[in-house]
Amino acid sequence: SQKIEQNSEALNIQEGKTATLTCNYTNYSPAYLQWYRQDPGRGPVFLLLIRENEKEKRKERLKVTFDTTLKQSLFHITASQPADSATYLCAPGSGNTGKLIFGQGTTLQVKP
Amino acid sequence: NAGVTQTPKFQVLKTGQSMTLQCAQDMNHNSMYWYRQDPGMGLRLIYYSASEGTTDKGEVPNGYNVSRLNKREFSLRLESAAPSQTSVYFCASSGGKVGATPLHFGNGTRLTVT
């Protein structure tokens, strides 16, 4: 069955450093991969979408890579700030089915 | 600009009671979804509706029913609530091809079944 793995342990980093979060998937070949941010008590908020033919995508301090050979996406936040502290979810999608499955999420804590 | 609105925000039920979670979106999106989120389990898809008039099962449909009332509204019904259904329920919508377009989420309904 399709499986999505994100680091279950929280990631703690110092303000100003780069945070790198990992999303691995098995048993399917998504054409797209999405990243979301979720704050406590709130619904997830969309951040970035990358297509299988795009190796890298950037938005302000965010960068996402998509390696279809390794079946992995990396999500980077450069010059991290305490306000970046949240849980980040990845969601690989094929575009051919009616559903989008999410990873469990990784919690990022940025310390001042 | 409300986006996706879920009601109620909080609910406590006794085992065996029934209730309907309501969801409405004002973005003219075709697709709507119901997820549940439990600690350590992430978001799990319960049901989805790719377009008005259609509904399909997701990963964990047992114990739930859905109705796509019109393009705006997608409700989730628990006919006989069980403690295992204690969770946070999120509704979402998207305007294009699933996976290729972002999902817009509501802020959830926190349900406790005693």
Side-chain angles (χ1 to χ4, degrees):
Chain A
S1 62
Q2 297 172 350
K3 190 175 180 182
I4 305 164
E5 290 184 353
Q6 294 186 253
N7 289 344
S8 57
E9 290 184 12
L11 178 63
N12 295 297
I13 65 168
Q14 207 66 33
E15 182 176 7
K17 301 293 186 184
T18 296
T20 299
L21 287 68
T22 304
C23 175
N24 296 299
Y25 56 90
T26 54
N27 296 329
Y28 69 131
S29 299
Y32 312 90
L33 196 142
Q34 301 183 23
W35 283 89
Y36 290 77
R37 168 184 173 138
Q38 186 174 23
D39 292 287
R42 310 283 288 182
V45 174
F46 171 76
L47 295 175
L48 280 169
L49 180 150
I50 186 166
R51 294 172 173 74
E52 62 180 342
N53 61 352
E54 297 174 316
K55 297 302 179 188
E56 180 181 298
K57 197 155 188 180
R58 293 175 185 263
K59 178 183 176 182
E60 298 174 351
R61 294 184 295 110
L62 308 181
K63 185 179 85 172
V64 172
T65 63
F66 191 9
D67 189 324
T68 55
T69 301
L70 291 178
K71 294 186 180 294
Q72 180 181 79
S73 175
L74 298 179
F75 178 82
H76 307 271
I77 306 175
T78 57
S80 59
Q81 304 166 1
D84 295 325
S85 299
T87 297
Y88 292 86
L89 306 166
C90 73
S94 69
N96 293 324
T97 66
K99 53 190 179 183
L100 191 65
I101 308 298
F102 285 78
Q104 293 182 4
T106 298
T107 298
L108 171 67
Q109 188 72 35
V110 180
K111 298 181 179 177
Chain B
N1 188 11
V4 177
T5 303
Q6 293 184 237
T7 55
K9 289 185 170 55
F10 301 93
Q11 184 71 49
V12 178
L13 291 177
K14 294 186 186 302
T15 299
Q17 288 184 320
S18 63
M19 78 162 295
T20 299
L21 281 65
Q22 306 286 354
C23 175
Q25 52 93 6
D26 63 2
M27 295 171 283
N28 201 35
H29 286 169
N30 285 323
S31 303
M32 297 186 73
Y33 311 84
W34 277 106
Y35 289 87
R36 62 177 287 175
Q37 189 172 41
D38 303 290
M41 300 294 291
L43 281 163
R44 290 184 292 169
L45 183 64
I46 306 171
Y47 270 94
Y48 63 100
S49 171
S51 61
E52 187 179 354
T54 68
T55 60
D56 286 285
K57 295 178 181 179
E59 302 170 271
V60 288
N62 291 344
Y64 305 95
N65 286 302
V66 290
S67 295
R68 184 74 183 267
L69 304 169
N70 47 55
K71 193 170 186 179
R72 289 188 64 247
E73 298 171 289
F74 189 38
S75 63
L76 179 71
R77 182 160 179 84
L78 287 70
E79 289 292 350
S80 179
S84 60
Q85 294 178 305
T86 292
S87 187
V88 182
Y89 291 85
F90 288 102
C91 177
S93 69
S94 72
K97 200 173 181 183
V98 174
T101 53
L103 264 60
H104 299 257
F105 284 86
N107 281 323
T109 293
R110 284 145 187 83
L111 175 66
T112 301
V113 183
T114 61

